[in-house]
Amino acid sequence: MRIGLLGTGNVARALAHGWSAAGHDVLLGSRKPDERKDLGLPVAGLNETAAHAEVLVNATPGNVSVDLLRSIGAPALAGTLLIDVGVGLSDDFTELSHPNSSLAEQIQTAFPDTPVVKTLCTMDATTMVAPAALTGPSTVFLSGDDAEAKRTTGRLLTDLGWPESSQLDIGGITSARGQEHFALLFIGIANGLGSHTFTIKVVTLP
């Protein structure tokens, strides 16, 4: 598939490399593409990236994501699956930008003709693309209102190394709040472990 990733940070680059290795056509989108030519990945402007993509991935800081998407425009995003992996946090990482909602909900409300799926925001960039490197299987969550969009997202997660058995659909887009609000616990766990490379697994009774 043609995958456009909005952002050029660690997350966007890791996902781009992961999907490129799986055979997808990836393009990073930047507000200043001429300054990001040293990444070893193709980079273009935001509008060009959106026009290129069958699937868009929001990997921008959550407190600027909606405004950035508005700069592209709703018509350019209509009908395109948008996978949101962002989380809005304060500069000191102690508060959420959307404490009574979620970034994914804000995006879906602002762009009703764009199916949004929330996933991959409960882990760091390393784990997103190498889940098998951990000590055991773990869980990745999917939130969204569009069933076909979630199926496509699930296939793309499989291409990153997440088998269907590790994927858990937790409901509509409002359930993205749980994924994003985990960020504060993630930071606490990372401080306790002294590492950001970990994730969680949902365990049940036999």
Side-chain angles (χ1 to χ4, degrees):
M1 300 188 76
R2 297 189 309 277
I3 303 175
L5 299 105
L6 303 176
T8 57
N10 291 337
V11 169
R13 297 198 307 270
L15 291 173
H17 281 298
W19 278 317
S20 178
H24 296 287
D25 177 1
V26 302
L27 181 63
L28 295 177
S30 171
R31 285 175 287 194
K32 298 178 180 179
D34 292 338
E35 298 177 10
R36 306 297 285 164
K37 297 296 187 182
D38 58 342
L39 302 179
L41 290 161
V43 183
L46 300 176
N47 292 333
E48 182 180 345
T49 301
H52 165 87
E54 296 173 273
V55 176
L56 270 177
V57 180
N58 175 48
T60 63
N63 51 5
V64 302
S65 297
V66 173
D67 286 343
L68 183 144
L69 290 166
R70 284 190 174 124
S71 75
I72 297 171
L77 301 175
T80 300
L81 164 59
L82 191 146
I83 299 173
D84 176 35
V85 302
V87 176
L89 288 165
S90 60
D91 291 341
D92 62 1
F93 302 106
T94 62
E95 296 182 4
L96 294 164
S97 300
H98 308 90
N100 299 310
S101 180
S102 66
L103 172 60
E105 288 174 87
Q106 300 295 316
I107 295 172
Q108 188 63 90
T109 298
F111 303 94
D113 296 326
T114 299
V116 177
V117 178
K118 189 79 185 190
T119 192
L120 289 172
C121 71
T122 56
M123 63 197 74
D124 76 342
T126 301
T127 305
M128 289 178 185
V129 297
L134 301 177
T135 55
S138 54
T139 305
V140 62
F141 305 98
L142 297 95
S143 302
D145 295 332
D146 187 295
E148 182 57 33
K150 283 197 276 194
R151 282 191 287 271
T152 300
T153 302
R155 291 192 292 270
L156 291 173
L157 289 173
T158 300
D159 289 341
L160 295 177
W162 295 94
E164 288 187 20
S165 58
S166 291
Q167 300 177 26
L168 183 60
D169 182 344
I170 60 173
I173 199 66
T174 57
S175 69
R177 298 180 190 187
Q179 294 197 55
E180 294 185 26
H181 290 199
F182 177 74
L184 299 179
L185 180 56
F186 179 92
I187 293 168
I189 295 171
N191 288 337
L193 291 176
S195 171
H196 290 85
T197 305
F198 67 90
T199 189
I200 57 176
K201 178 176 174 57
V202 174
V203 295
T204 62
L205 290 171

